[in-house]
Amino acid sequence: VQLQASGGGLVPAGGSLRLSCVASGTIFRVDSMGWYRQASGNERELVAAITNGGTATYVDSVKGRFTISRDYAKNTMALQMNSLKPEDTAVYYCHADIWRTRWSNMDYWGRGTLVTVSS
């Protein structure tokens, strides 16, 4: 199983980016998925998560600006980021709780994608 994230880049403050994450491989079921970020010198923090039932949660600092979504049939997830601020600059990681069989699940992480917001 692999998670592959894409969509990072350099954007001016106030701009938008869309991150995507694809889960591939032998997958029985994908439960929760989410985006984490880690800024230089900081700990990794949860930015947004979405359950298998579609319930989304966000860290307070991105509420109203970021939207997380999933395509359950394709095992993909996206993070639409609007009104970006310099403090959103970080490496963003996708995460998923994946069942490879009906008896076994694990946490999977994608390689990070860098988001840089210039002031």
Side-chain angles (χ1 to χ4, degrees):
V1 174
Q2 287 188 326
L3 287 181
Q4 185 166 0
S6 61
L10 174 64
V11 62
S16 298
L17 280 175
R18 184 177 179 85
L19 305 183
S20 297
C21 178
V22 180
S24 61
T26 303
I27 296 173
F28 175 74
R29 186 179 79 233
V30 180
D31 279 347
S32 65
M33 299 186 78
W35 291 94
Y36 289 71
R37 67 185 179 188
Q38 187 167 19
S40 179
N42 291 354
E43 295 186 353
R44 190 175 296 188
E45 68 169 348
L46 175 64
V47 177
I50 184 166
T51 68
N52 204 18
T55 300
T57 57
Y58 301 90
V59 66
D60 285 347
S61 60
V62 308
K63 286 180 180 177
R65 299 188 296 123
F66 291 9
T67 302
I68 190 170
S69 61
R70 284 178 66 171
D71 183 325
Y72 293 88
K74 297 180 179 179
N75 288 328
T76 61
M77 171 180 63
L79 185 68
Q80 178 65 41
M81 305 185 294
N82 298 328
S83 302
L84 283 160
K85 304 176 180 180
E87 51 263 43
D88 294 318
T89 295
V91 177
Y92 285 70
Y93 299 89
C94 64
H95 166 268
D97 177 10
I98 297 176
W99 294 73
R100 294 189 64 188
T101 70
R102 65 176 69 244
W103 303 281
S104 174
N105 67 314
M106 286 180 58
D107 288 328
Y108 289 87
W109 293 88
R111 297 178 68 175
T113 184
L114 178 62
V115 172
T116 304
V117 184
S118 61
S119 57

